[in-house]
Amino acid sequence: MCLYANVSIFFYGVTSANILEKKDDFASVVMEHLRLNGAYWGLTTLDVLGKLDAVNQDEVVSWIMQCQDQSGVYPGFSGFGGNIGHDPHLHYTLSAIQVLALFDKIDVLDIEKLDIASLQNEDGSFSGDIWGEVDTRFSYIAICSLALLQRLDKINVEKAVAYIVSCKNLDGGFGCTPGAESHAGQIFCCVGALAITGSVDHVDKDLLGWWLCERQVKSGGLNGRPEKLPDVCYSWWVLSSLIMIDRVHWIDKKKLADFILDCQDKENGGISDRPDDAVDVFHTYFGVAGLSLLEYPELKAIDPAYALPVDVVNKIFFTT
């Protein structure tokens, strides 16, 4: 079975209506707090496959807007929670913006009410919510969100970049805070934020490129740190970073594509972390996104910094 039919089978089974019907299932309950992220992973995959019309756009947009905090309890920041009634966090807020961008519906947002800029700290870092946890993931999320909303001027970009650069390590990688271990996921966040702000010159491209290409193992898959097992999700985190620093030719792209395809469930659809494991929407998205970056036939191109189809990003920035 080809990739497209295989993955589509999986996603036709996880449309929003289907999820609502099964909201009391164990899997639905334990993943309730990630529902908005799951919508982004699933819907972006469908768009890359050219199948976004399989879902009811109005239903999805209506549900997303119900996930925005309306309580007034949280001073300043009024972002989105992972589901209706959940506390707002930057992580879910970016997913909401990205899904609305897929449907060309960013205009339904009250952008000023979001007030993402209120989460920037004096040192340039960002907290994920009002409780104050700091992580370079949140720097990327804030910068990516504000760029998609065309509101980067609302933050101190120079300080934001300086904080990210302070998290760079001697191996060329980046951690979640200054001095923290280099990790492929954090590297994507830092390189992505630097790319969006036009600051990639702060990256030692050869040194980081070496660290990233060393993540490819014999199977062709990529891991996130030395001595770890390969995982399909790193097909995105590592590959997108290599593309942004122009070092993607340092890995064996064919072996990586074969590894991703080997992780398909050829009977029921979807992609898993490794061959013969259970599939899920998270790894299906990152597998398809990785194949898109590898220019796999008939997949829409995806932007390595914004993690959205290129045509969606172009519509935001180049449509007057």
Side-chain angles (χ1 to χ4, degrees), residues 75 77 89-90 115-140 142-143 146 154-164 166-167 176-178:
F77 178 58
H89 194 283
L90 271 177
D115 197 14
I116 293 171
S118 67
L119 295 176
Q120 186 171 30
N121 302 307
E122 183 59 32
D123 63 357
S125 66
F126 284 85
S127 300
D129 56 20
I130 65 165
W131 307 111
E133 180 188 6
V134 170
D135 191 305
T136 47
R137 289 176 301 162
F138 309 148
S139 294
Y140 166 77
I143 288 170
L146 289 168
K154 297 294 184 180
I155 62 170
N156 188 321
V157 174
E158 184 177 351
K159 278 191 171 184
V161 168
Y163 179 77
I164 292 169
S166 75
C167 297
C176 58
T177 53

Side-chain angles (χ1 to χ4, degrees), residues 240-301:
S240 57
S241 300
L242 284 168
I243 289 173
M244 287 187 282
I245 63 172
D246 195 26
R247 297 296 184 275
V248 71
H249 55 288
W250 286 7
I251 65 166
D252 189 325
K253 293 188 282 187
K254 183 182 184 305
K255 285 188 69 174
L256 176 57
D258 288 344
F259 174 79
I260 298 171
L261 294 171
D262 284 344
C263 294
Q264 293 185 92
D265 181 335
K266 294 180 173 64
E267 293 183 3
N268 301 308
I271 298 174
S272 60
D273 58 347
R274 284 178 284 279
D276 300 320
D277 283 353
V279 303
D280 58 70
V281 66
F282 175 86
H283 289 95
T284 301
Y285 163 65
F286 286 113
V288 172
L291 289 171
S292 173
L293 291 176
L294 291 167
E295 301 180 325
Y296 195 83
E298 298 183 39
L299 293 181
K300 289 175 64 173

Side-chain angles (χ1 to χ4, degrees), residues 208-217 222 238 242 247 250-251:
L208 178 57
W210 171 83
W211 191 93
L212 289 169
C213 76
E214 286 288 301
R215 305 280 60 77
Q216 190 164 37
V217 300
L222 299 162
V238 173
L242 284 168
R247 297 296 184 275
W250 286 7
I251 65 166

Side-chain angles (χ1 to χ4, degrees), residues 26-58:
F26 175 76
S28 179
V29 171
V30 297
M31 298 300 288
E32 181 181 354
H33 65 294
L34 291 174
R35 193 66 52 79
L36 191 43
N37 296 142
Y40 159 69
W41 298 325
L43 293 168
T44 305
T45 305
L46 285 173
D47 198 14
V48 172
L49 292 168
K51 302 289 186 180
L52 191 58
D53 58 358
V55 300
N56 185 314
Q57 177 184 138
D58 293 336

